């Protein structure tokens, strides 16, 4: 069975609101995947993503009835934190989490689209670099960009990455990529909806770390 299909995201409703509990449950299935990737450098990424999920869940748990959607949380924090917002609380955690989610989206989409380095067909560096340039690079200063370079070198081979997505089973490339495609059907609109919310609420920041 495919890891991706076990971890399908929920379909969005027509108003494109993202249900907080469903989102947290869906997104929590991603971090364990980093353990399959082998290198220590991925534990930095895993703990960053986990940390952001924990921060959002902590706010949600304070009052699940009040924070039904992610937008409920971001708007409540805008009221409570005024001057500090949006660089605060779950709003900041989700701002960064969505960038990691966009990275994963662009990476998977690029694989599904068949982007490939013809000279190194079993590497996924072109796909990773595309995702990084799209989702994260502009928010990273040179030190964090060096961490990226280390992660790029430690990145798994294409065949091993696809195998990990198939829970360690030998699955034909085209079957795995078909699952990637299916996974993206709900995942991409969810990530898009969060970006759109940040843009509508003017909650996006562009400082670098
Ligand atoms: C800011 C920043 N977070 C943090 O400082 C940086 C952490 C390290 C970033 C290293 C970049 C590496 C890029 C990826 C290379 C991947 C190679 C892939 C191989 C397959 C924020 O942190 C905090 O988050 C926030 O809470 C805090 O308050 O200013 C704020 C204060 O700082 C980031 O830049 C977010 C980084 C997210 C990286 C996501 C990468 C995902 C990588 C792999 C995905 C694999 C695909 C999985 C598919 C699974 C399907 C089931």
């Amino acid at each position: 069975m495919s890891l991706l299909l076990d971890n399908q995201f929920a379909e969005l409703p027509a108003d494109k609101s993202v249900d907080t509990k469903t989102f947290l449950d869906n997104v929590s299935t991603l971090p364990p995947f980093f353990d399959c990737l082998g290198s220590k450098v991925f534990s930095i990424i895993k703990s960053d993503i986990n940390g952001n999920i924990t921060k959002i869940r902590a706010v949600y748990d304070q009052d699940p009835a009040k924070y039904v959607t992610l937008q409920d949380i971001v708007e409540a924090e805008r009221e409570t934190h005024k001057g500090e917002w949006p660089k605060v609380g779950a709003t900041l955690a989700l701002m960064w989490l969505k960038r990691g989610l966009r990275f994963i989206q662009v990476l998977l989409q690029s694989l599904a689209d068949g982007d490939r380095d013809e000279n190194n067909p079993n590497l996924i560096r072109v796909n990773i670099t595309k995702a990084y340039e799209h989702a994260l690079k502009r928010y990273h200063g040179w030190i964090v960009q060096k961490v990226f370079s280390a992660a790029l070198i430690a990145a798994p081979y294409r065949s091993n990455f696809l195998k990990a997505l198939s829970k360690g089973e030998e699955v034909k490339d085209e079957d795995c990529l078909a699952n990637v495609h299916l996974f993206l059907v709900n995942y991409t609109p969810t990530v898009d909806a969060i970006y759109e919310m940040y843009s509508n609420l003017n909650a996006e920041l562009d400082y670098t770390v």
Side-chain angles (χ1 to χ4, degrees):
M1 201 25 205
S2 162
L3 184 78
L4 291 160
L5 297 190
D6 286 352
N7 299 334
Q8 270 291 11
F9 274 52
E11 193 180 341
L12 282 187
D15 68 359
K16 294 200 244 167
S17 62
V18 183
D19 181 86
T20 309
K21 171 143 194 339
T22 309
F23 173 76
L24 288 171
D25 289 348
N26 288 160
V27 91
S28 300
T29 63
L30 299 176
F33 180 75
F34 290 93
D35 300 330
C36 316
L37 296 180
S39 168
K40 275 258 156 51
V41 71
F42 296 110
S43 57
I44 305 175
I45 299 169
K46 182 183 175 184
S47 65
D48 189 75
I49 294 181
N50 264 331
N52 287 330
I53 297 172
T54 305
K55 286 177 203 170
I56 301 164
R57 197 182 283 283
V59 173
Y60 172 73
D61 284 343
Q62 285 166 20
D63 194 344
K66 181 176 172 194
Y67 301 127
V68 174
T69 67
L70 291 175
Q71 183 153 341
D72 294 332
I73 297 184
V74 174
E75 287 181 337
E77 288 192 337
R78 183 178 58 184
E79 283 310 301
T80 319
H81 297 286
K82 299 222 158 67
E84 280 174 293
W85 188 89
K87 202 174 184 179
V88 71
T91 304
L92 184 61
L94 182 60
M95 189 187 309
W96 281 97
L97 179 61
K98 77 179 186 352
R99 293 170 184 165
L101 297 179
R102 181 72 98 198
F103 175 95
I104 292 171
Q105 176 207 324
V106 177
L107 171 61
L108 293 178
Q109 186 69 57
S110 171
L111 287 165
D113 291 345
D115 295 344
R116 232 162 151 157
D117 173 357
E118 294 305 336
N119 296 321
N120 298 290
N122 201 23
L123 295 183
I124 53 172
R125 290 184 187 161
V126 285
N127 316 89
I128 295 171
T129 303
K130 181 176 187 180
Y132 186 65
E133 285 173 354
H134 189 98
L136 289 167
K137 191 176 181 185
R138 60 181 291 218
Y139 306 109
H140 287 168
W142 70 273
I143 295 175
V144 182
Q145 289 193 18
K146 284 261 182 288
V147 178
F148 169 74
S149 304
L152 193 62
I153 290 165
Y157 287 112
R158 186 173 187 279
S159 48
N160 290 340
F161 186 70
L162 296 185
K163 191 173 168 187
L165 289 177
S166 309
K167 281 201 193 155
E169 286 166 28
E170 295 290 354
V171 172
K172 281 201 220 125
D173 278 15
E174 57 265 36
D175 293 338
C176 181
L177 293 176
N179 289 337
V180 168
H181 196 79
L182 273 177
F183 174 78
L184 291 171
V185 169
N186 288 343
Y187 180 84
T188 300
T190 303
V191 179
D192 285 347
I194 300 171
Y195 268 83
E196 210 177 306
M197 169 180 67
Y198 271 71
S199 160
N200 291 340
L201 297 177
N202 212 1
E204 189 64 56
L205 295 174
D206 64 1
Y207 71 95
T208 54
V209 291

